[in-house]
Amino acid sequence: MLELAAAVCAVVAVYAALRAVLEKNTLRKLPFINVMNFAVAGIIALILPHPLTLVAAVAYFVGATLEANAIASALAKLTPEDEP
Amino acid sequence: MILELAYITAAAVISLILFIALDIFWKLPKEGGVSGADAISREIVAAGGDKNGGWMLGNIICSPDASAGTLLAACGYWICGIPGGIAVAVLVFIGARICADKGWAGTSGALAATIIIWALSTFAGFPPEAFIAGMIIAILLVQGISPLHASRALGSIWRKI
């Protein structure tokens, strides 16, 4: 079961990374990078079951969402709003 | 092998329903809770997606919401049982505050997922790691296949409710 769960996470992580690389628009890359972060956080916990690994997985994931937020809000300030 | 795949598929469906229900309960599609979520929603609308669905996807990306809570609670329960799930809820609460998110979606998602995974692993024989793989598949369906179509689907669910 462990191998299968880890394989699912790894395949999803690689797929999401490829989609992010192939997407040209930076803001549209973020959903795929988010999927990759989910999969990597899952792999971190699956690969080494230890309480500290759990803290590492949470720290990695929270850091990744914080970075996505920073990238998205910085880009929003750089580009003028085109909504009426 | 087939039984394991069935467990992962069932866990994916349960996780998907759980995090979408909690995110809608905490009104994530109503507005961009953090500044980055607004930008992502605008980009999705510009590409032909739905505004409310875009806000929900933006909020999922920019702060730890119920989907993150569900995944990390599955990891926590797998490693340390119920105390692991509760520890994750506390860490997700701190993480959401770090991301300037005032909401409770992540914390409640982690607690709800811990209870559901405990019930299903104790009484229905689900292996907890099936929920880790299941949650990855659930988030792949929402964000990783086509964010445009996912935003339209989420927007129509939000308007119906």
Side-chain angles (χ1 to χ4, degrees):
Chain A
M1 187 67 201
L2 180 59
E3 289 82 5
L4 186 64
V8 168
C9 293
V11 169
V12 170
V14 171
Y15 162 81
L18 284 176
R19 285 289 302 263
V21 169
L22 293 173
E23 174 64 58
K24 296 278 188 295
N25 184 307
T26 309
L27 276 174
R28 279 181 222 162
K29 281 177 195 271
L30 291 178
F32 303 121
I33 295 175
N34 186 237
V35 174
M36 190 193 77
N37 289 331
F38 267 85
V40 171
I43 294 170
I44 291 175
L46 281 172
I47 215 162
L48 192 65
H50 186 276
L52 277 179
T53 325
L54 182 61
V55 178
V58 178
Y60 167 79
F61 191 82
V62 171
T65 55
L66 188 63
E67 283 168 21
N69 191 7
I71 293 168
S73 54
L75 278 175
K77 277 174 196 156
L78 281 176
T79 49
E81 291 197 22
D82 44 11
E83 269 186 331
Chain B
M1 182 75 175
I2 292 170
L3 185 68
E4 290 172 348
L5 283 173
Y7 275 135
I8 290 179
T9 312
V13 174
I14 294 165
S15 314
L16 189 68
I17 294 170
L18 174 72
F19 90 78
I20 289 181
L22 274 172
D23 280 356
I24 287 177
F25 176 78
W26 289 108
K27 296 191 170 62
L28 258 67
K30 195 180 173 192
E31 57 186 355
V34 282
S35 55
D38 261 338
I40 290 168
S41 174
R42 268 204 303 278
E43 186 58 45
I44 288 173
V45 171
D50 182 89
K51 197 185 201 177
N52 296 107
W55 272 326
M56 179 155 160
L57 293 185
N59 280 323
I60 291 176
I61 293 168
C62 290
S63 73
D65 74 314
S67 57
T70 308
L71 171 76
L72 296 170
C75 296
Y77 188 88
W78 183 63
I79 293 175
C80 314
I82 289 175
I86 293 168
V88 159
V90 175
L91 290 171
V92 167
F93 174 80
I94 297 167
R97 294 306 176 272
I98 290 173
C99 292
D101 176 7
K102 295 181 188 69
W104 288 87
T107 316
S108 63
L111 292 174
T114 304
I115 295 166
I116 288 172
I117 296 168
W118 167 77
L120 286 174
S121 60
T122 310
F123 302 113
F126 269 75
E129 58 266 42
F131 278 89
I132 302 179
M135 188 57 224
I136 303 289
I137 293 171
I139 199 73
L140 174 74
L141 292 176
V142 172
Q143 306 245 40
I145 308 286
S146 166
L148 282 188
H149 292 94
S151 76
R152 286 183 204 149
L154 290 171
S156 64
I157 294 172
W158 165 248
R159 277 185 291 277
K160 271 180 199 154
I161 298 169

